Amino acid sequence: MITDTRRGDWLRPRAGGWATAGGVAGTGFAAYARVLHPLDARCHDIAVTDGWGMHPVVEERRWRWAEVAARRGRHLHPRVQWTRLTGAEPPESFETDDGWAVGPPEEGQLDTDVLAALTEHLGPATTTPDDLVAAVWDGWGDLNGSSATASFFIGEPSEEDIREQQRSDAERALRSAAVQRGLQGPVFEWPGRSFHLMAASTRLFADPTWLDTADLETWPGAGHTPQMLWPEDRAWVLATEIDWDATIVAGSRDLVERIVADDRFEAFEVGVDDDLSWAGDVVDRA
């Protein structure tokens, strides 16, 4: 944990307008990239129905937003919004006539595979790749102790089922208490958000499985990717706003151009003051 929240003082005065790239990553950078979050998709055999009235899954893969745009006859552009692209509001999965259920993209969390790929550009773009400040939103229920779980059994639970559930609940309570102890201290205040600050490095995020192996000593964030991330030399900021299905990278023009040109991402350059809310997509409003 980083208890000295003054490490974010340089960025706070640079907070831009609401729902803009500068509003989540800070103003004053040469360029901004918007990286769309990937889409998980499942194809169902619509000719077969199981005993529960469900169609079995026959294929799973990642889709790109461009595939959805092509299916819908819509346009992929820098301010594209999932709700406008699919024609459904609030966000929901896009379903095709041939059995695919696609998305919606995850909000507030950056896929670890995408983050790992981004480190290949972020690492060389800073002189302090091993000295990063990561900010994790303090509103996640499992971090602030407000989350609740419920257990469901099919039929009457056996004594062993009950004992196993009690063990699971006890383990969950112990972990929650450990997380709470690890996150004691001041928070970093950003307009409309509060964050716990944690020490990190590009080496940590370069491994896509880091969340599976991280413990409370190496990552007190307990299962969450950072909402903000910056190096000590302040060369760039990565920001994943909790209500957005895209991540902003603010930095040098060279960094942004490299990210936009990398075909592993669906990324676009955006302006610091571009409206990135649902209303900002005026191309596919109809």
Side-chain angles (χ1 to χ4, degrees), residues 67-208:
E67 292 181 79
V68 177
R71 292 266 189 147
R72 287 278 292 158
R74 297 290 178 94
H75 302 84
L76 204 62
H77 58 92
R79 296 195 214 180
V80 63
Q81 296 292 323
W82 181 253
T83 55
R84 302 288 191 245
L85 192 64
T86 62
E89 189 175 315
E92 59 184 44
S93 62
F94 169 68
E95 297 184 358
T96 69
D97 293 337
D98 53 350
W100 283 100
V102 185
E106 187 168 10
E107 296 179 348
Q109 295 268 72
L110 180 58
D111 183 88
T112 54
D113 287 326
V114 176
L115 180 54
L118 282 171
T119 62
E120 297 176 25
H121 300 289
L122 296 174
T126 173
T127 60
T128 57
D130 294 323
D131 189 5
L132 307 185
V133 177
V136 175
W137 183 48
D138 73 344
W140 296 118
D142 54 340
L143 299 189
N144 62 28
S146 65
S147 63
T149 59
S151 302
F152 300 93
F153 297 96
I154 299 176
E156 188 70 23
S158 66
E159 291 186 4
E160 179 57 31
D161 288 334
I162 295 173
R163 286 195 294 270
E164 179 59 31
Q165 187 59 51
Q166 290 173 336
R167 285 194 293 269
S168 177
D169 291 343
E171 291 174 0
R172 187 180 300 110
L174 287 173
R175 179 170 178 78
S176 177
V179 169
Q180 297 306 304
R181 290 193 299 271
L183 296 177
Q184 294 300 311
V187 294
F188 171 63
E189 299 290 348
W190 186 255
R193 302 283 183 251
S194 298
F195 301 109
H196 299 290
L197 297 186
M198 306 174 192
S201 69
T202 55
R203 287 184 294 104
L204 172 66
F205 300 129
D207 178 4

Side-chain angles (χ1 to χ4, degrees), residues 203-226:
R203 287 184 294 104
L204 172 66
F205 300 129
D207 178 4
T209 67
W210 67 275
L211 270 183
D212 299 328
T213 58
D215 56 28
L216 292 177
E217 293 297 321
T218 59
W219 185 253
H224 297 283
T225 57

